[in-house]
Amino acid sequence: MALIEIEKNLDHWVKSIMGITSFQDLEKTKAELIGKSGVITSAFRLLKDFSGDEKKSFGERLNNIKSQIETAISLQKKKLEEYEISEKLRNETLDITLPVENSSFGGLHILTQSIRRIRNHYLARGFLVLDGPEVETDFFNFDALNIPEHHPARQSHDTFYLERFNKTLLRTHTSCVQIRTMKERGIPVRMISIGKTYRNDQLDATHSPMFHQIEGLVADRKPITIGHLKSELKKFLAFFFEVEDVAIRFRPSFFPFTEPGMEVDCRYTKKDGKLIITPEGDKWLELGGAGMVHPNVFKNCGIENEAFGFAFGFGLERLVMLKNGITDIRNLFDTDRRWLEYYGQ
Ligand code: PHE
């Protein structure tokens, strides 16, 4: 193509480059114009027919045209790239408002649900809800609770010791939180603590080396009686089992940190194989331990002079199993999705 024609066509070429919408077309046009056998490249071959000033001006004009075409192509390429990115961004955004199909969201484990319910019951009754460490010293787990070094109660707890020398262990009950609470806050105090406890028991349908306890403590300078304990436990059990009334009885028992100590039972009956908690029940169900705070415990917490209090400690898993008809404690710690979905919330 003659130079004159090339110059005439330049505007048209630049305009059509600016209208190209695909990388493929852009590459094709680039090849047609400035590729190896492109129009402009071929025109350069005519240079050899010129000489002197003519050759110089021909070369300059051709170079100028080539660079205008190159500029147009690279600008258009950039535009296409930007467009591609913005399209990608638009098409690949996640629409989080879309409904999700066939999805299971998981839920709160029945133990978590129960812990929250119990907590709310006691918060509404003006109790503090406190936590204590699961790794304890033998002072808080035993000594302060009036369980001296060679007391048989220490053996019966089958403690997991972490380091015998340092006397650290996994707490065997939540009663340690009684001590921590009274040492830190003194009395009067009304508190509960729900948490994990550990005993070296073989895992079977009714035992687990890790389980939860609900600990309660009410202590004051004013007289507190077994009557107060009984009334508080009845309220809690009626709330927990969602029944009008619960008939309970105390059986003498021994805990070194209580005097007197007792086991708490409640009346129940069985109907169609189902357990029903009712004051009319003909059988007794064992629920947990309780008692009046032993004077030595007050002393060990630095509380001198007269003090009164009651405490109780119930196994959470046992209560949850009784309420929900669960017969194997291992279910609570398994990962069977159908089970978890059934009891989850
Ligand atoms: N800590 C006792 C246990 O684990 C339960 C208990 C708590 C008994 C408070 C009396 C008072 O068996």
Side-chain angles (χ1 to χ4, degrees):
M1 197 182 281
L3 185 58
I4 280 284
E5 259 181 284
I6 289 177
E7 282 179 329
K8 256 208 267 172
N9 271 320
L10 181 63
D11 263 3
H12 164 72
W13 285 330
V14 169
K15 264 194 204 129
S16 67
I17 288 169
M18 279 161 39
I20 288 174
T21 56
S22 77
F23 289 104
Q24 221 180 350
D25 288 352
L26 196 62
E27 281 308 308
K28 207 174 127 209
T29 306
K30 188 178 168 183
E32 278 167 10
L33 294 174
I34 54 175
K36 240 188 200 160
S37 46
V39 182
I40 313 294
T41 320
S42 314
F44 271 105
R45 284 186 206 115
L46 301 173
L47 262 177
K48 62 178 189 321
D49 300 335
F50 296 90
S51 61
D53 281 352
E54 244 183 349
K55 186 172 190 169
K56 199 180 159 201
S57 114
F58 188 95
E60 274 173 5
R61 280 158 73 188
L62 214 47
N63 268 325
N64 180 280
I65 288 164
K66 189 184 174 190
S67 84
Q68 285 190 55
I69 288 172
E70 278 171 346
T71 308
I73 287 174
S74 78
L75 281 177
Q76 190 62 13
K77 193 170 170 194
K78 225 171 157 181
K79 250 209 261 173
L80 288 180
E81 281 165 357
E82 279 166 13
Y83 179 76
E84 195 181 54
I85 289 169
S86 70
E87 274 299 280
K88 248 195 184 155
L89 284 177
R90 219 181 42 203
N91 294 331
E92 290 178 8
T93 44
L94 275 179
D95 186 349
I96 55 166
T97 65
L98 281 176
V100 182
E101 282 167 37
N102 303 326
S103 175
S104 150
F105 288 93
L108 294 181
H109 192 275
I110 183 116
L111 287 178
T112 308
Q113 294 171 41
S114 308
I115 289 170
R116 292 189 180 185
R117 276 187 71 226
I118 296 167
R119 234 191 242 156
N120 286 340
H121 167 79
Y122 279 107
L123 282 172
R125 297 194 47 70
F127 280 63
L128 294 169
V129 177
L130 302 174
D131 277 325
E134 288 167 33
V135 173
E136 267 294 8
T137 61
D138 63 354
F139 172 77
F140 286 102
N141 198 83
F142 293 125
D143 295 285
L145 285 160
N146 202 31
I147 312 172
E149 183 100 41
H150 297 292
H151 196 282
R154 285 212 186 193
Q155 269 68 57
S156 71
H157 274 221
D158 283 320
T159 313
F160 285 116
Y161 281 93
L162 297 170
E163 229 182 296
R164 271 188 196 276
F165 181 68
N166 277 335
K167 305 189 168 184
T168 49
L169 46 84
L170 294 178
R171 67 178 178 191
T172 59
H173 51 182
T174 43
S175 297
C176 338
V177 191
Q178 289 185 35
I179 306 298
R180 290 188 172 271
T181 303
M182 287 196 284
K183 262 177 110 56
E184 271 168 41
R185 298 169 186 259
I187 56 169
V189 73
R190 291 154 68 79
M191 74 90 184
I192 60 147
S193 184
I194 309 174
K196 294 188 173 77
T197 54
Y198 303 83
R199 288 181 199 179
N200 195 355
D201 284 331
Q202 200 60 39
L203 184 68
D204 63 26
T206 52
H207 295 87
S208 163
M210 187 284 292
F211 59 101
H212 295 74
Q213 280 191 340
I214 308 155
E215 189 82 16
L217 169 73
V218 173
D220 207 324
R221 295 274 176 207
K222 291 183 288 189
I224 288 177
T225 69
I226 292 182
H228 294 122
L229 168 61
K230 186 172 181 185
S231 143
E232 199 57 58
L233 287 178
K234 272 168 75 92
K235 283 194 187 89
F236 165 63
L237 294 169
F239 162 80
F240 183 79
F241 288 112
E242 294 179 86
V243 292
E244 278 282 311
D245 193 18
V246 179
I248 64 173
R249 77 173 178 192
F250 291 140
R251 262 181 307 115
S253 185
F254 176 74
F255 302 102
F257 39 96
T258 60
E259 184 54 40
M262 54 206 100
E263 294 285 339
V264 185
D265 301 341
C266 77
R267 275 194 188 276
Y268 79 104
T269 188
K270 271 204 165 160
K271 213 172 157 186
D272 306 328
K274 256 187 87 178
L275 186 142
I276 295 163
I277 309 272
T278 164
E280 280 81 51
D282 51 334
K283 299 187 189 61
W284 291 98
L285 194 63
E286 206 180 305
L287 292 177
M292 304 310 288
V293 179
H294 195 291
N296 286 352
V297 172
F298 285 127
K299 224 179 280 161
N300 295 339
C301 294
I303 294 165
E304 301 293 339
N305 303 327
E306 223 175 21
F308 306 86
F310 67 72
F312 57 88
F314 283 25
L316 176 70
E317 283 79 2
R318 177 160 169 80
L319 293 183
V320 169
M321 286 165 71
L322 290 171
K323 171 151 197 254
N324 297 282
I326 299 165
T327 51
D328 193 325
I329 195 171
R330 290 169 291 199
N331 292 151
L332 290 163
F333 309 119
D334 272 347
T335 52
D336 183 335
R337 262 190 68 170
R338 286 162 310 169
W339 194 95
L340 291 170
E341 269 163 24
Y342 180 77
Y343 287 106
Q345 197 177 65

Short mmCIF file of all heavy atoms in Angstrom, two decimals, residues 228-272:
data_model
loop_
_atom_site.label_atom_id
_atom_site.label_comp_id
_atom_site.label_asym_id
_atom_site.label_seq_id
_atom_site.Cartn_x
_atom_site.Cartn_y
_atom_site.Cartn_z
N HIS A 228 -34.03 -23.93 104.22
CA HIS A 228 -33.68 -23.07 103.08
C HIS A 228 -33.13 -23.92 101.93
O HIS A 228 -33.47 -23.70 100.76
CB HIS A 228 -32.62 -22.03 103.49
CG HIS A 228 -33.12 -21.03 104.48
ND1 HIS A 228 -32.53 -20.83 105.71
CD2 HIS A 228 -34.17 -20.16 104.42
CE1 HIS A 228 -33.18 -19.89 106.37
NE2 HIS A 228 -34.18 -19.46 105.61
N LEU A 229 -32.27 -24.87 102.28
CA LEU A 229 -31.68 -25.75 101.27
C LEU A 229 -32.78 -26.52 100.54
O LEU A 229 -32.81 -26.58 99.30
CB LEU A 229 -30.71 -26.73 101.95
CG LEU A 229 -30.20 -27.90 101.12
CD1 LEU A 229 -29.42 -27.43 99.91
CD2 LEU A 229 -29.32 -28.82 101.98
N LYS A 230 -33.71 -27.06 101.32
CA LYS A 230 -34.77 -27.87 100.73
C LYS A 230 -35.63 -27.04 99.78
O LYS A 230 -35.93 -27.47 98.66
CB LYS A 230 -35.65 -28.45 101.85
CG LYS A 230 -36.68 -29.42 101.35
CD LYS A 230 -37.39 -30.12 102.50
CE LYS A 230 -38.42 -31.11 101.96
NZ LYS A 230 -39.20 -31.73 103.02
N SER A 231 -35.97 -25.83 100.21
CA SER A 231 -36.82 -24.97 99.39
C SER A 231 -36.10 -24.58 98.09
O SER A 231 -36.69 -24.59 97.01
CB SER A 231 -37.22 -23.75 100.22
OG SER A 231 -37.26 -22.61 99.43
N GLU A 232 -34.81 -24.27 98.19
CA GLU A 232 -34.05 -23.87 97.00
C GLU A 232 -33.95 -25.04 96.01
O GLU A 232 -34.10 -24.86 94.80
CB GLU A 232 -32.65 -23.41 97.44
CG GLU A 232 -31.91 -22.55 96.43
CD GLU A 232 -32.67 -21.30 96.04
OE1 GLU A 232 -33.00 -20.49 96.93
OE2 GLU A 232 -32.94 -21.11 94.84
N LEU A 233 -33.70 -26.24 96.54
CA LEU A 233 -33.58 -27.41 95.67
C LEU A 233 -34.91 -27.76 95.00
O LEU A 233 -34.95 -28.12 93.83
CB LEU A 233 -33.07 -28.61 96.47
CG LEU A 233 -31.59 -28.56 96.86
CD1 LEU A 233 -31.22 -29.78 97.69
CD2 LEU A 233 -30.68 -28.46 95.63
N LYS A 234 -36.00 -27.65 95.75
CA LYS A 234 -37.32 -27.94 95.18
C LYS A 234 -37.62 -26.98 94.02
O LYS A 234 -38.13 -27.39 92.99
CB LYS A 234 -38.41 -27.84 96.25
CG LYS A 234 -38.62 -29.15 97.01
CD LYS A 234 -39.49 -28.94 98.24
CE LYS A 234 -40.95 -28.75 97.90
NZ LYS A 234 -41.69 -30.03 97.91
N LYS A 235 -37.30 -25.70 94.22
CA LYS A 235 -37.55 -24.71 93.16
C LYS A 235 -36.73 -25.05 91.93
O LYS A 235 -37.20 -24.99 90.80
CB LYS A 235 -37.17 -23.31 93.66
CG LYS A 235 -38.19 -22.70 94.58
CD LYS A 235 -37.92 -21.21 94.75
CE LYS A 235 -38.84 -20.63 95.80
NZ LYS A 235 -38.29 -20.69 97.17
N PHE A 236 -35.46 -25.39 92.17
CA PHE A 236 -34.59 -25.70 91.04
C PHE A 236 -35.07 -26.93 90.28
O PHE A 236 -35.18 -26.93 89.06
CB PHE A 236 -33.14 -25.91 91.50
CG PHE A 236 -32.29 -26.56 90.46
CD1 PHE A 236 -32.05 -25.93 89.24
CD2 PHE A 236 -31.74 -27.83 90.67
CE1 PHE A 236 -31.29 -26.54 88.25
CE2 PHE A 236 -30.98 -28.44 89.68
CZ PHE A 236 -30.76 -27.80 88.48
N LEU A 237 -35.39 -27.99 91.03
CA LEU A 237 -35.78 -29.25 90.36
C LEU A 237 -37.11 -29.10 89.62
O LEU A 237 -37.27 -29.63 88.52
CB LEU A 237 -35.84 -30.39 91.39
CG LEU A 237 -34.46 -30.74 91.98
CD1 LEU A 237 -34.60 -31.66 93.17
CD2 LEU A 237 -33.54 -31.34 90.92
N ALA A 238 -38.06 -28.37 90.21
CA ALA A 238 -39.33 -28.14 89.52
C ALA A 238 -39.08 -27.36 88.22
O ALA A 238 -39.66 -27.68 87.18
CB ALA A 238 -40.29 -27.37 90.42
N PHE A 239 -38.20 -26.36 88.31
CA PHE A 239 -37.87 -25.59 87.11
C PHE A 239 -37.19 -26.50 86.09
O PHE A 239 -37.57 -26.53 84.92
CB PHE A 239 -36.92 -24.43 87.47
CG PHE A 239 -36.21 -23.87 86.28
CD1 PHE A 239 -36.83 -22.98 85.42
CD2 PHE A 239 -34.90 -24.26 85.99
CE1 PHE A 239 -36.18 -22.48 84.30
CE2 PHE A 239 -34.24 -23.77 84.87
CZ PHE A 239 -34.89 -22.88 84.03
N PHE A 240 -36.20 -27.25 86.54
CA PHE A 240 -35.41 -28.04 85.59
C PHE A 240 -36.27 -29.09 84.88
O PHE A 240 -36.20 -29.26 83.67
CB PHE A 240 -34.22 -28.71 86.27
CG PHE A 240 -33.36 -29.46 85.29
CD1 PHE A 240 -32.46 -28.79 84.49
CD2 PHE A 240 -33.50 -30.84 85.13
CE1 PHE A 240 -31.69 -29.46 83.55
CE2 PHE A 240 -32.74 -31.52 84.20
CZ PHE A 240 -31.83 -30.83 83.40
N PHE A 241 -37.10 -29.80 85.66
CA PHE A 241 -37.90 -30.87 85.06
C PHE A 241 -39.22 -30.35 84.49
O PHE A 241 -40.02 -31.12 83.98
CB PHE A 241 -38.15 -31.99 86.08
CG PHE A 241 -36.92 -32.79 86.38
CD1 PHE A 241 -36.31 -32.74 87.62
CD2 PHE A 241 -36.34 -33.60 85.40
CE1 PHE A 241 -35.16 -33.49 87.90
CE2 PHE A 241 -35.20 -34.35 85.66
CZ PHE A 241 -34.61 -34.29 86.91
N GLU A 242 -39.45 -29.04 84.63
CA GLU A 242 -40.66 -28.40 84.11
C GLU A 242 -41.92 -29.07 84.65
O GLU A 242 -42.79 -29.51 83.89
CB GLU A 242 -40.65 -28.41 82.57
CG GLU A 242 -39.53 -27.55 82.00
CD GLU A 242 -39.50 -27.56 80.48
OE1 GLU A 242 -40.23 -26.74 79.89
OE2 GLU A 242 -38.76 -28.37 79.91
N VAL A 243 -41.95 -29.18 85.99
CA VAL A 243 -43.14 -29.73 86.65
C VAL A 243 -43.58 -28.77 87.75
O VAL A 243 -42.83 -27.90 88.18
CB VAL A 243 -42.85 -31.13 87.26
CG1 VAL A 243 -42.62 -32.16 86.17
CG2 VAL A 243 -41.65 -31.09 88.20
N GLU A 244 -44.83 -28.93 88.17
CA GLU A 244 -45.41 -28.05 89.20
C GLU A 244 -44.67 -28.15 90.52
O GLU A 244 -44.34 -27.16 91.15
CB GLU A 244 -46.87 -28.47 89.43
CG GLU A 244 -47.84 -27.91 88.43
CD GLU A 244 -48.18 -26.46 88.72
OE1 GLU A 244 -48.51 -26.16 89.89
OE2 GLU A 244 -48.10 -25.62 87.77
N ASP A 245 -44.47 -29.43 90.93
CA ASP A 245 -43.90 -29.65 92.26
C ASP A 245 -43.00 -30.88 92.24
O ASP A 245 -43.21 -31.79 91.44
CB ASP A 245 -45.06 -29.86 93.26
CG ASP A 245 -44.55 -29.77 94.71
OD1 ASP A 245 -43.44 -29.23 94.91
OD2 ASP A 245 -45.27 -30.25 95.61
N VAL A 246 -42.02 -30.87 93.12
CA VAL A 246 -41.13 -32.03 93.23
C VAL A 246 -41.05 -32.41 94.71
O VAL A 246 -40.82 -31.55 95.56
CB VAL A 246 -39.71 -31.70 92.72
CG1 VAL A 246 -38.79 -32.90 92.87
CG2 VAL A 246 -39.75 -31.25 91.27
N ALA A 247 -41.30 -33.69 95.00
CA ALA A 247 -41.16 -34.15 96.38
C ALA A 247 -39.74 -34.66 96.57
O ALA A 247 -39.29 -35.53 95.82
CB ALA A 247 -42.17 -35.26 96.65
N ILE A 248 -39.02 -34.08 97.55
CA ILE A 248 -37.65 -34.56 97.76
C ILE A 248 -37.48 -35.09 99.19
O ILE A 248 -38.26 -34.77 100.10
CB ILE A 248 -36.58 -33.47 97.47
CG1 ILE A 248 -36.69 -32.29 98.43
CG2 ILE A 248 -36.67 -33.00 96.04
CD1 ILE A 248 -35.54 -31.29 98.26
N ARG A 249 -36.45 -35.91 99.34
CA ARG A 249 -36.10 -36.36 100.68
C ARG A 249 -34.58 -36.30 100.81
O ARG A 249 -33.85 -36.38 99.82
CB ARG A 249 -36.61 -37.78 100.94
CG ARG A 249 -35.77 -38.83 100.28
CD ARG A 249 -36.18 -40.24 100.69
NE ARG A 249 -35.38 -41.21 99.97
CZ ARG A 249 -35.64 -42.51 99.93
NH1 ARG A 249 -36.69 -43.01 100.54
NH2 ARG A 249 -34.84 -43.33 99.27
N PHE A 250 -34.14 -36.13 102.05
CA PHE A 250 -32.71 -36.13 102.33
C PHE A 250 -32.35 -37.44 103.03
O PHE A 250 -33.01 -37.84 103.97
CB PHE A 250 -32.35 -34.96 103.26
CG PHE A 250 -32.47 -33.61 102.60
CD1 PHE A 250 -32.99 -32.52 103.30
CD2 PHE A 250 -32.05 -33.41 101.29
CE1 PHE A 250 -33.08 -31.27 102.71
CE2 PHE A 250 -32.14 -32.16 100.69
CZ PHE A 250 -32.66 -31.08 101.40
N ARG A 251 -31.29 -38.07 102.54
CA ARG A 251 -30.76 -39.27 103.20
C ARG A 251 -29.40 -38.91 103.76
O ARG A 251 -28.59 -38.30 103.06
CB ARG A 251 -30.57 -40.40 102.19
CG ARG A 251 -31.69 -41.41 102.15
CD ARG A 251 -31.40 -42.51 101.15
NE ARG A 251 -31.10 -41.99 99.83
CZ ARG A 251 -29.92 -42.13 99.23
NH1 ARG A 251 -28.93 -42.76 99.82
NH2 ARG A 251 -29.74 -41.64 98.03
N PRO A 252 -29.14 -39.26 105.04
CA PRO A 252 -27.85 -38.91 105.62
C PRO A 252 -26.70 -39.47 104.79
O PRO A 252 -26.77 -40.59 104.31
CB PRO A 252 -27.87 -39.58 107.00
CG PRO A 252 -29.30 -39.85 107.29
CD PRO A 252 -29.98 -40.03 105.98
N SER A 253 -25.70 -38.65 104.59
CA SER A 253 -24.53 -39.09 103.84
C SER A 253 -23.31 -38.35 104.39
O SER A 253 -23.46 -37.52 105.29
CB SER A 253 -24.74 -38.78 102.35
OG SER A 253 -23.67 -39.31 101.59
N PHE A 254 -22.14 -38.63 103.84
CA PHE A 254 -20.96 -37.97 104.39
C PHE A 254 -20.15 -37.26 103.32
O PHE A 254 -19.75 -37.86 102.31
CB PHE A 254 -20.07 -39.00 105.10
CG PHE A 254 -18.80 -38.39 105.60
CD1 PHE A 254 -18.80 -37.55 106.71
CD2 PHE A 254 -17.60 -38.62 104.94
CE1 PHE A 254 -17.63 -36.96 107.16
CE2 PHE A 254 -16.41 -38.03 105.40
CZ PHE A 254 -16.44 -37.21 106.51
N PHE A 255 -19.98 -35.99 103.50
CA PHE A 255 -19.00 -35.21 102.73
C PHE A 255 -18.20 -34.43 103.76
O PHE A 255 -18.81 -33.76 104.61
CB PHE A 255 -19.71 -34.23 101.77
CG PHE A 255 -20.64 -34.89 100.79
CD1 PHE A 255 -22.02 -34.87 100.99
CD2 PHE A 255 -20.14 -35.54 99.67
CE1 PHE A 255 -22.88 -35.48 100.10
CE2 PHE A 255 -21.01 -36.16 98.77
CZ PHE A 255 -22.38 -36.13 98.99
N PRO A 256 -16.87 -34.51 103.73
CA PRO A 256 -16.07 -33.86 104.77
C PRO A 256 -16.33 -32.36 104.90
O PRO A 256 -16.09 -31.77 105.95
CB PRO A 256 -14.64 -34.12 104.32
CG PRO A 256 -14.72 -35.30 103.41
CD PRO A 256 -16.05 -35.22 102.75
N PHE A 257 -16.83 -31.75 103.81
CA PHE A 257 -17.03 -30.29 103.83
C PHE A 257 -18.44 -29.89 104.22
O PHE A 257 -18.81 -28.71 104.09
CB PHE A 257 -16.65 -29.69 102.46
CG PHE A 257 -17.08 -30.54 101.29
CD1 PHE A 257 -18.27 -30.29 100.62
CD2 PHE A 257 -16.29 -31.60 100.87
CE1 PHE A 257 -18.65 -31.07 99.55
CE2 PHE A 257 -16.68 -32.40 99.79
CZ PHE A 257 -17.85 -32.14 99.13
N THR A 258 -19.24 -30.87 104.65
CA THR A 258 -20.59 -30.53 105.12
C THR A 258 -20.83 -31.16 106.48
O THR A 258 -20.24 -32.17 106.83
CB THR A 258 -21.67 -31.08 104.15
OG1 THR A 258 -21.54 -32.49 104.08
CG2 THR A 258 -21.55 -30.48 102.77
N GLU A 259 -21.70 -30.54 107.24
CA GLU A 259 -22.14 -31.13 108.51
C GLU A 259 -23.51 -30.57 108.87
O GLU A 259 -23.60 -29.41 109.24
CB GLU A 259 -21.13 -30.84 109.62
CG GLU A 259 -21.47 -31.49 110.94
CD GLU A 259 -21.69 -33.00 110.85
OE1 GLU A 259 -20.92 -33.66 110.11
OE2 GLU A 259 -22.64 -33.51 111.46
N PRO A 260 -24.59 -31.31 108.72
CA PRO A 260 -24.61 -32.66 108.18
C PRO A 260 -24.52 -32.68 106.65
O PRO A 260 -24.77 -31.67 106.00
CB PRO A 260 -25.98 -33.18 108.64
CG PRO A 260 -26.83 -31.95 108.70
CD PRO A 260 -25.92 -30.84 109.11
N GLY A 261 -24.21 -33.89 106.13
CA GLY A 261 -24.20 -34.08 104.68
C GLY A 261 -25.32 -35.02 104.29
O GLY A 261 -25.78 -35.83 105.11
N MET A 262 -25.79 -34.90 103.09
CA MET A 262 -26.93 -35.74 102.69
C MET A 262 -26.99 -35.98 101.19
O MET A 262 -26.41 -35.23 100.41
CB MET A 262 -28.23 -35.10 103.15
CG MET A 262 -28.39 -33.67 102.70
SD MET A 262 -29.44 -32.73 103.80
CE MET A 262 -28.30 -31.83 104.79
N GLU A 263 -27.71 -37.05 100.84
CA GLU A 263 -28.03 -37.32 99.44
C GLU A 263 -29.43 -36.80 99.20
O GLU A 263 -30.29 -36.92 100.07
CB GLU A 263 -28.00 -38.82 99.14
CG GLU A 263 -26.63 -39.47 99.27
CD GLU A 263 -25.69 -39.17 98.12
OE1 GLU A 263 -26.16 -38.78 97.02
OE2 GLU A 263 -24.47 -39.30 98.33
N VAL A 264 -29.66 -36.27 98.02
CA VAL A 264 -30.99 -35.74 97.68
C VAL A 264 -31.67 -36.69 96.71
O VAL A 264 -31.12 -37.02 95.67
CB VAL A 264 -30.86 -34.35 97.01
CG1 VAL A 264 -32.23 -33.74 96.78
CG2 VAL A 264 -29.98 -33.43 97.84
N ASP A 265 -32.87 -37.15 97.08
CA ASP A 265 -33.66 -38.00 96.19
C ASP A 265 -34.97 -37.28 95.85
O ASP A 265 -35.41 -36.41 96.61
CB ASP A 265 -34.05 -39.32 96.88
CG ASP A 265 -32.83 -40.12 97.34
OD1 ASP A 265 -31.73 -39.86 96.81
OD2 ASP A 265 -33.00 -41.00 98.21
N CYS A 266 -35.59 -37.66 94.74
CA CYS A 266 -36.92 -37.11 94.46
C CYS A 266 -37.86 -38.24 94.04
O CYS A 266 -37.42 -39.28 93.55
CB CYS A 266 -36.87 -36.01 93.41
SG CYS A 266 -36.67 -36.58 91.74
N ARG A 267 -39.15 -38.01 94.23
CA ARG A 267 -40.14 -39.04 93.89
C ARG A 267 -40.37 -39.08 92.40
O ARG A 267 -40.37 -38.05 91.71
CB ARG A 267 -41.48 -38.71 94.58
CG ARG A 267 -41.57 -39.23 95.99
CD ARG A 267 -43.03 -39.17 96.46
NE ARG A 267 -43.14 -39.49 97.87
CZ ARG A 267 -43.21 -40.73 98.36
NH1 ARG A 267 -43.17 -41.77 97.53
NH2 ARG A 267 -43.31 -40.93 99.65
N TYR A 268 -40.55 -40.31 91.89
CA TYR A 268 -40.87 -40.46 90.47
C TYR A 268 -41.66 -41.74 90.27
O TYR A 268 -41.76 -42.58 91.17
CB TYR A 268 -39.59 -40.48 89.62
CG TYR A 268 -38.88 -41.82 89.62
CD1 TYR A 268 -38.95 -42.66 88.51
CD2 TYR A 268 -38.15 -42.24 90.72
CE1 TYR A 268 -38.30 -43.89 88.51
CE2 TYR A 268 -37.50 -43.47 90.72
CZ TYR A 268 -37.58 -44.28 89.62
OH TYR A 268 -36.95 -45.50 89.62
N THR A 269 -42.20 -41.86 89.08
CA THR A 269 -42.88 -43.10 88.73
C THR A 269 -42.56 -43.40 87.27
O THR A 269 -42.03 -42.54 86.56
CB THR A 269 -44.40 -42.99 88.96
OG1 THR A 269 -44.98 -44.28 88.77
CG2 THR A 269 -45.04 -42.01 87.99
N LYS A 270 -42.86 -44.60 86.84
CA LYS A 270 -42.62 -44.96 85.44
C LYS A 270 -43.95 -45.22 84.76
O LYS A 270 -44.81 -45.90 85.31
CB LYS A 270 -41.72 -46.19 85.34
CG LYS A 270 -40.26 -45.80 85.30
CD LYS A 270 -39.40 -46.86 84.65
CE LYS A 270 -38.04 -46.24 84.32
NZ LYS A 270 -37.01 -47.22 84.13
N LYS A 271 -44.13 -44.61 83.57
CA LYS A 271 -45.37 -44.82 82.83
C LYS A 271 -44.98 -45.13 81.39
O LYS A 271 -44.28 -44.32 80.76
CB LYS A 271 -46.21 -43.54 82.90
CG LYS A 271 -47.70 -43.80 82.93
CD LYS A 271 -48.41 -42.49 83.19
CE LYS A 271 -49.83 -42.49 82.72
NZ LYS A 271 -50.42 -41.16 82.87
N ASP A 272 -45.42 -46.26 80.91
CA ASP A 272 -45.07 -46.72 79.55
C ASP A 272 -43.55 -46.64 79.33
O ASP A 272 -43.10 -46.17 78.29
CB ASP A 272 -45.77 -45.85 78.48
CG ASP A 272 -47.28 -45.81 78.72
OD1 ASP A 272 -47.82 -46.82 79.21
OD2 ASP A 272 -47.89 -44.76 78.43
#
